[in-house]
Amino acid sequence: MNSLRALRKARFTDILDYGIFLFKKHFKDIFIINLMFNIPAMLLLNLFNPVFTEKYWKLMEPTELVKTSPAAIVSSVVTLYAMLFGAVILQGLYAITLKNVMEGAVVRIIYADIVLNRKVTVKQAIKECFGQFGVLLLGRVLYLLIQCAVFLVLYIVLFAGMFALSFSITGLLVTAFIYHKIAVAPLILGILAVLGIIILISLVVGFFIGKYWMFMPAICIEGKKAAASIGRCNVLGKNNFFLIALTFVFGNLLVSLFPMVVGVVFGLIALNSGRFDMELYRISIVIAQIFAEILRPVLICIFTAMYITLRVKREGLDLEMTLWEIEREEAGKLTPSIQGEYNEV
């Protein structure tokens, strides 16, 4: 895309398409960064997956469970919980450290190429992210706290909604049992209402998580501090609920599609074999995980495209680029830095 002007009227489908284009264009650099930071961490986390322990399967198999002594069952349960707890701790440490460097480096490379029209190497991008390590860590912590708040509110809403849903279902069943002919319409309306609630919840969660992810480019590109980066997300996300929510929801669905297909294929193979193959199942999990992590940066590209789109829509970034080009032609020796300022070359 030679000009960002088209992003002024971009829809979420355009952002998804643009993000995939950015991923393909910078695949080599993104894959190197992914191979350095993300894939090894995810493979390490897999070692803490209970699926790969024999004790897990003994608890799942009724015949094995009967043969197991109570002391062995307690030991197995403690071991499984310890592995899950260890996986959560490692995931959290990775999220606030190396994940920041990986995502920040990808954002820098994409933004420098698309907006500033200059090349940033993998080494330069990683070095600059390590230079902002503390700010990125604080920004990620704030982002995780926002996620926790969103899911806490969601949990309360769902907990309260379950009571209303249980009474509604009971009423529909009673109506269907007594009045067979008039029960069809309420039943259809009930199903549509449940689907509507699921879609609404997905959009709301997607909006908040997608909007506040932009703390990353706010820090890496604009040089904001951690708290200011959250405020920056509010500015960029204002009046863009559906654009952000749909981009987040469909972006995640798109990225999870391929690992899901891998899991389904191995599941069908296991069913056709007539028995549950433990080793085949474990291999399928590893392959699906590798596919998922290779494609994970697609989300970063999509969200970076969303960030650029929102800046074009709200702040006229495309017009600013035109002014940069005019000034470069006049000065002949000035180029914008990664923060959008000008440095002599």
Side-chain angles (χ1 to χ4, degrees):
M1 183 179 291
N2 297 324
S3 174
L4 299 181
R5 184 63 56 87
L7 294 179
R8 284 182 173 272
K9 298 181 180 180
R11 297 167 295 181
F12 81 94
T13 51
D14 300 317
I15 296 177
L16 294 177
D17 183 64
Y18 192 30
I20 294 172
F21 163 76
L22 294 175
F23 178 74
K24 291 190 294 185
K25 182 178 182 181
H26 300 280
F27 177 80
K28 181 180 177 182
D29 291 340
I30 291 174
F31 182 75
I32 292 173
I33 295 171
N34 197 14
L35 196 60
M36 292 173 63
F37 295 100
N38 188 43
I39 294 178
M42 293 302 104
L43 291 177
L44 177 63
L45 285 170
N46 264 327
L47 297 178
F48 288 83
N49 192 332
V51 170
F52 295 98
T53 65
E54 295 296 333
K55 292 183 177 181
Y56 173 82
W57 293 107
K58 287 181 179 179
L59 290 175
M60 296 296 292
E61 287 285 344
T63 54
E64 293 291 336
L65 187 60
V66 172
K67 299 177 184 178
T68 307
S69 65
I73 293 175
V74 172
S75 174
S76 298
V77 172
V78 171
T79 301
L80 296 179
Y81 274 104
M83 293 179 70
L84 290 172
F85 182 75
V88 170
I89 294 297
L90 288 176
Q91 183 71 46
L93 291 174
Y94 169 72
I96 63 175
T97 55
L98 296 182
K99 188 175 183 179
N100 290 333
V101 178
M102 185 198 76
E103 292 187 357
V106 173
V107 169
R108 285 177 176 275
I109 289 173
I110 291 175
Y111 189 86
D113 176 45
I114 299 302
V115 178
L116 305 181
N117 195 26
R118 67 184 180 90
K119 173 71 174 177
V120 172
T121 64
V122 171
K123 182 179 179 181
Q124 289 174 325
I126 292 175
K127 182 179 178 181
E128 290 170 351
C129 287
F130 273 115
Q132 294 180 307
F133 188 85
V135 181
L136 286 171
L137 189 149
L138 291 175
R140 178 69 67 175
V141 170
L142 292 175
Y143 178 56
L144 291 175
L145 289 175
I146 291 172
Q147 284 184 316
C148 291
V150 170
F151 285 112
L152 177 61
V153 173
L154 177 63
Y155 174 79
I156 294 174
V157 171
L158 289 177
F159 186 76
M162 289 302 296
F163 286 98
L165 184 63
S166 61
F167 284 113
S168 300
I169 292 175
T170 303
L172 285 173
L173 291 176
V174 171
T175 304
F177 181 77
I178 299 175
Y179 305 104
H180 301 282
K181 295 182 179 180
I182 65 172
V184 177
L187 186 61
I188 295 175
L189 289 176
I191 294 173
L192 293 177
V194 171
L195 290 176
I197 292 172
I198 293 173
I199 293 172
L200 179 61
I201 290 175
S202 300
L203 291 177
V204 171
V205 172
F207 170 71
F208 282 104
I209 297 179
K211 180 177 77 169
Y212 287 108
W213 179 89
M214 290 188 291
F215 86 92
M216 179 64 65
I219 292 174
C220 293
I221 304 303
E222 303 177 42
K224 301 287 186 183
K225 298 301 182 182
S229 68
I230 301 299
R232 180 67 172 147
C233 296
N234 291 326
V235 172
L236 291 175
K238 187 176 180 181
N239 299 327
N240 284 285
F241 175 83
F242 287 104
L243 184 66
I244 295 174
L246 291 172
T247 299
F248 180 87
V249 172
F250 281 93
N252 278 277
L253 288 175
L254 185 66
V255 171
S256 62
L257 179 63
F258 292 100
M260 189 185 302
V261 170
V262 172
V264 169
V265 169
F266 276 92
L268 292 175
I269 293 174
L271 288 175
N272 290 330
S273 64
R275 64 183 182 86
F276 187 80
D277 192 328
M278 171 73 65
E279 294 303 321
L280 183 62
Y281 180 66
R282 290 173 175 173
I283 292 172
S284 70
I285 290 177
V286 173
I287 293 177
Q289 184 69 34
I290 292 174
F291 265 99
E293 298 313 321
I294 290 176
L295 295 174
R296 189 77 61 191
V298 175
L299 280 176
I300 305 174
C301 296
I302 290 173
F303 295 157
T304 304
M306 181 178 70
Y307 165 77
I308 295 173
T309 300
L310 292 175
R311 287 197 63 183
V312 170
K313 284 176 172 289
R314 296 192 62 83
E315 302 173 345
L317 181 61
D318 54 328
L319 300 178
E320 191 175 349
M321 289 173 59
T322 303
L323 292 176
W324 289 346
E325 186 64 30
I326 293 173
E327 291 193 22
R328 280 202 300 268
E329 291 177 357
E330 291 179 351
K333 57 179 180 180
L334 295 176
T335 57
S337 71
I338 198 73
Q339 281 80 26
E341 299 171 352
Y342 288 89
N343 293 332
E344 291 191 5
V345 293

